[in-house]
C-alpha cells in the first residue's frame, strides 16, 4: 500500500516511509492510496475470531509489502494481548472498554503497534527521535509502548497544567529512552511546536524525527481493529442484529477517523457520533457547515481539550470533502462539565457502572440521540476512571481504586524539562543529545 498527502494527491510514499516520516513536508496527513473492502466470509467469521486474528486481516493490506505476513502476525500477537470487552450498561447501550491495556487507555493499541513498526524499520546507524504532543493518554501510551527499545528516543511534549497527576506520572517517571517536556501553554501550543519541528530543515538534518501522535499512520490505522472486534462481539450476543450506532469521544479525531475508515472497508455500522466536550468545533461544523478551529478550552474531559483537531482532514478526505455525505453517517454531540459530572454520578448510582469523563460524553450522546436514530448503541470507554482520580472522586464523593497498572507509577521521581511556549528554545533542546530521562 502506498500513501499520499491530503495536501497533494500526486505524492507517494510506502507504508515504511510514511511511518518513519510521520508527517508530510507539506503539512498534510498521509492517507492510503486505496481503501480495501473485506469480504462476507470475514464478517461472518468475526464473532469467532481473536483480536490478533482480526488485526492481521484488517491491517495486512495497509502494511504490505513493507511488513511480511509472518512479522505482522507477531506484531499483532504482541499488541493485542489484553481484553477489549463489550459490557452492557443498560438496555441497548453498551460500553466497549478500551482501558485494560498497560496504561489503561485506548491509545495502548496504536502506540504499541507503532512502536513495533518503528523498531522493525529503524536503521542501526540512524536513531529515531519520536516526538509526541499529549493532552493526557497519548503521552503515557507512547512512552510506555516505546520504553527500552533500542535506537529509538521518545520526547513527550505536554501542557504543564493540562493533564491529570496520574497521566503525568505515567510518562515523566520512566527514564531510559524517554524524556518529558512541560510547556507553559495549552495542548494546541504543544501540537504546534511538534508540527513546527517537523518542518524545520536544520532540525531534521540533525535528528531523524518521527511522530507518534495519531497523525502517524501506524498509530491511526490499528484503531480500526477494535471496531471490527466490537461488531463481532455484538453479533455474537445479537445474531439477528443488523444496525448499530457507535459513539466516539473525540479530541484529535483519529479514533473517529479510524472507525469511519473501517466503515468504508465494509463494517456495517449505521451511524457514528462525534462526541466532544466544550471544544465543539466538529459538532458545530456538522450543524452549520462552518469549520472554525479555536483556542482549546480546559474541561474535566481533558484528553479531548483540542481546539484544532489534527485528524479531521482525514475524515474530510474519506468523504470527498462533501459535508452532506459526512452528515448522513456522523452525528455531532457535545456536553459541558456539569452535564458530564451529572452523567457520571447518575450512571454510577442507577446502573452501578463507573464512567470516566470521556466515556460519559459518549454514553450521554447515545441516551439523547438513539430515540431519533432508532438503533442500539455502543460507546467507547477510552480510559480507566482512575486516570482522573481527583476529579472522579470529587464527583462521586468516594475513593476510586487504582488498578495495578497505575499503582506501579506512584511514588516515583518525575523528570521533566519545563519550557516557555517558544519554538527557538524548544528547538535548542531537541538539538541536544538524549540522556536518560531528559534531553
Amino acid at each position: 500500500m502506498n500513501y499520499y498527502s491530503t495536501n497533494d494527491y500526486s505524492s507517494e510514499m510506502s507504508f515504511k516511509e510514511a511511518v518513519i516520516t510521520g508527517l508530510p513536508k507539506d503539512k498534510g496527513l498521509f492517507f492510503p492510496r486505496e481503501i480495501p473492502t473485506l469480504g462476507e466470509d470475514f464478517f461472518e467469521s468475526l464473532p469467532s475470531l481473536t483480536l490478533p486474528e482480526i488485526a492481521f486481516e484488517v491491517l495486512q493490506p495497509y502494511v504490505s509489502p513493507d511488513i511480511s505476513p509472518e512479522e505482522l502476525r507477531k506484531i499483532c500477537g504482541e499488541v493485542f494481548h489484553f481484553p477489549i470487552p463489550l459490557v452492557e450498561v443498560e438496555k441497548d447501550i453498551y460500553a466497549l472498554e478500551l482501558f485494560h491495556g498497560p496504561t489503561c487507555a485506548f491509545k495502548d493499541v496504536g502506540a504499541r503497534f507503532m512502536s513495533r513498526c518503528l523498531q522493525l524499520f529503524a536503521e542501526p546507524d540512524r536513531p529515531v527521535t519520536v516526538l509526541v504532543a499529549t493532552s493526557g493518554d497519548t503521552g503515557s501510551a507512547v512512552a510506555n509502548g516505546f520504553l527500552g527499545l533500542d535506537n529509538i528516543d521518545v520526547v513527550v511534549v505536554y501542557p504543564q497544567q493540562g493533564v491529570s497527576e496520574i497521566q503525568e506520572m505515567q510518562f515523566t517517571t520512566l527514564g531510559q529512552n524517554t524524556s518529558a517536556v512541560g510547556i507553559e501553554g495549552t495542548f494546541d501550543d504543544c501540537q504546534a511546536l511538534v508540527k513546527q519541528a517537523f518542518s524545520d530543515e536544520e532540525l531534521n538534518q540533525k535528528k531523524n524525527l518521527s511522530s507518534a501522535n495519531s497523525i502517524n499512520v501506524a498509530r491511526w490505522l490499528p484503531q480500526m481493529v477494535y471496531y471490527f472486534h466490537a461488531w463481532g462481539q455484538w453479533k455474537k450476543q445479537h445474531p439477528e442484529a443488523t444496525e448499530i450506532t457507535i459513539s466516539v469521544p473525540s479530541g484529535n479525531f483519529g479514533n473517529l477517523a479510524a472507525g469511519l475508515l473501517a466503515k468504508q472497508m465494509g463494517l456495517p455500522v449505521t451511524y457514528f457520533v462525534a462526541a466532544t466536550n466544550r471544544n465543539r468545533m466538529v459538532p458545530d461544523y456538522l450543524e452549520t457547515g462552518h469549520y472554525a478551529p479555536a483556542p482549546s478550552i480546559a474541561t474535566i474531559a481533558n484528553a479531548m481539550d483540542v481546539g484544532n483537531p489534527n485528524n479531521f482532514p482525514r475524515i474530510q478526505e474519506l468523504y470527498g470533502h462533501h459535508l452532506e455525505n459526512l452528515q448522513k453517517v456522523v452525528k455531532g454531540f457535545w456536553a459541558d462539565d456539569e452535564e458530564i459530572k451529572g452523567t457520571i454520578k447518575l450512571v454510577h448510582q442507577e446502573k452501578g457502572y463507573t464512567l470516566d469523563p470521556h466515556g460519559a460524553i459518549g454514553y450521554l450522546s447515545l441516551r439523547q440521540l438513539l430515540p431519533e436514530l432508532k438503533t442500539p448503541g455502543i460507546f467507547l470507554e477510552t480510559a480507566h476512571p482512575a486516570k482522573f482520580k481527583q476529579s472522579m472522586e470529587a464527583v462521586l464523593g468516594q475513593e476510586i481504586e487504582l488498578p495495578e497498572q497505575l499503582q506501579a507509577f506512584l511514588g516515583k521521581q518525575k523528570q521533566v524539562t519545563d519550557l516557555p511556549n517558544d519554538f527557538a528554545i524548544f528547538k535548542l533542546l531537541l538539538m541536544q543529545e538524549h540522556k536518560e530521562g531528559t534531553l
Side-chain angles (χ1 to χ4, degrees):
M1 176 73 76
N2 285 332
Y3 294 79
Y4 65 91
S5 168
T6 52
N7 285 343
D8 181 8
Y9 185 78
S10 66
S11 61
E12 197 91 351
M13 276 198 180
S14 68
F15 177 74
K16 176 179 177 179
E17 291 169 328
V19 171
I20 293 174
T21 305
L23 193 69
K25 298 301 181 189
D26 61 12
K27 298 183 181 180
L29 297 174
F30 287 118
F31 197 84
R33 179 65 67 187
E34 302 167 9
I35 299 176
T37 54
L38 296 164
E40 288 184 18
D41 290 349
F42 171 75
F43 288 101
E44 288 174 2
S45 63
L46 256 183
S48 62
L49 294 180
T50 66
L51 268 165
E53 288 170 340
I54 295 170
F56 177 81
E57 295 296 332
V58 170
L59 296 173
Q60 187 180 26
Y62 293 96
V63 305
S64 178
D66 294 311
I67 299 179
S68 71
E70 295 75 23
E71 289 168 329
L72 181 60
R73 287 190 193 279
K74 181 175 181 290
I75 290 172
C76 291
E78 291 177 357
V79 171
F80 293 92
H81 68 87
F82 52 87
I84 302 179
L86 187 66
V87 177
E88 184 176 15
V89 177
E90 63 184 69
K91 187 179 184 299
D92 288 340
I93 297 183
Y94 289 70
L96 186 68
E97 293 186 344
L98 295 164
F99 54 69
H100 295 280
T103 71
C104 300
F106 80 97
K107 295 177 181 179
D108 282 324
V109 169
R112 290 169 67 80
F113 186 84
M114 183 190 167
S115 72
R116 272 59 179 180
C117 292
L118 262 185
Q119 188 178 37
L120 187 66
F121 296 153
E123 300 170 11
D125 59 344
R126 195 152 189 251
V128 175
T129 298
V130 174
L131 277 183
V132 57
T134 186
S135 56
D137 291 328
T138 292
S140 56
V142 169
N144 283 269
F146 283 84
L147 184 64
L149 295 187
D150 293 336
N151 220 31
I152 299 175
D153 294 326
V154 177
V155 181
V156 179
V157 187
Y158 71 105
Q160 293 171 7
Q161 307 300 322
V163 302
S164 76
E165 183 179 2
I166 290 175
Q167 287 173 321
E168 187 179 31
M169 293 289 286
Q170 285 185 297
F171 57 77
T172 60
T173 62
L174 299 173
Q176 297 186 51
N177 60 326
T178 69
S179 304
V181 179
I183 298 296
E184 295 175 3
T186 66
F187 168 73
D188 292 324
D189 295 325
C190 298
Q191 195 158 250
L193 288 174
V194 168
K195 283 186 173 180
Q196 198 169 347
F198 280 104
S199 62
D200 187 281
E201 287 189 20
E202 182 186 12
L203 182 57
N204 281 268
Q205 285 175 357
K206 180 173 175 62
K207 294 282 189 178
N208 187 16
L209 298 181
S210 185
S211 166
N213 281 88
S214 53
I215 51 178
N216 193 298
V217 290
R219 267 280 319 276
W220 173 50
L221 293 171
Q223 295 176 128
M224 287 191 293
V225 173
Y226 43 75
Y227 290 98
F228 290 98
H229 173 64
W231 176 256
Q233 291 184 84
W234 173 252
K235 288 294 284 185
K236 187 184 289 187
Q237 298 178 33
H238 306 86
E240 304 305 316
T242 57
E243 291 192 302
I244 194 76
T245 295
I246 297 183
S247 179
V248 186
S250 301
N252 240 340
F253 280 81
N255 214 359
L256 179 59
L260 293 171
L261 182 61
K263 179 174 174 63
Q264 295 212 3
M265 291 181 72
L267 182 68
V269 173
T270 313
Y271 302 108
F272 282 87
V273 180
T276 72
N277 53 27
R278 289 179 61 206
N279 297 280
R280 48 187 276 193
M281 284 60 65
V282 173
D284 285 352
Y285 169 71
L286 290 167
E287 183 179 346
T288 68
H290 178 58
Y291 187 63
S296 60
I297 301 168
T299 76
I300 189 174
N302 67 279
M304 292 156 53
D305 293 348
V306 183
N308 188 11
N310 252 342
N311 271 283
F312 192 62
R314 282 187 171 128
I315 293 176
Q316 293 176 305
E317 193 76 11
L318 278 165
Y319 289 88
H321 295 262
H322 295 301
L323 174 62
E324 299 80 6
N325 294 341
L326 184 61
Q327 288 171 323
K328 291 175 184 176
V329 176
V330 181
K331 309 303 174 183
F333 178 87
W334 70 277
D336 62 27
D337 277 7
E338 292 310 307
E339 291 173 301
I340 297 167
K341 293 174 185 177
T343 299
I344 292 170
K345 196 168 185 177
L346 185 67
V347 173
H348 188 264
Q349 290 173 344
E350 294 189 354
K351 310 298 179 184
Y353 189 86
T354 305
L355 298 163
D356 90 288
H358 310 80
I361 301 174
Y363 167 87
L364 185 59
S365 74
L366 293 179
R367 282 296 302 268
Q368 295 197 17
L369 295 177
L370 289 184
E372 173 190 340
L373 301 179
K374 295 180 170 53
T375 78
I378 295 170
F379 67 94
L380 304 191
E381 252 299 339
T382 53
H384 195 287
K387 296 198 80 168
F388 316 96
K389 184 175 172 64
Q390 196 170 13
S391 55
M392 288 293 298
E393 289 178 347
V395 171
L396 296 176
Q398 65 183 62
E399 188 175 353
I400 298 288
E401 187 175 347
L402 294 178
E404 272 183 46
Q405 299 101 305
L406 299 182
Q407 288 181 22
F409 294 95
L410 297 180
K412 291 189 175 181
Q413 182 68 37
K414 290 196 299 183
Q415 300 178 68
V416 186
T417 302
D418 289 327
L419 295 181
N421 180 23
D422 185 307
F423 179 71
I425 297 174
F426 181 60
K427 176 181 173 179
L428 282 174
L429 185 75
L430 293 178
M431 296 281 277
Q432 297 174 18
E433 295 302 317
H434 179 272
K435 298 177 183 177
E436 181 171 326
T438 186
L439 287 170

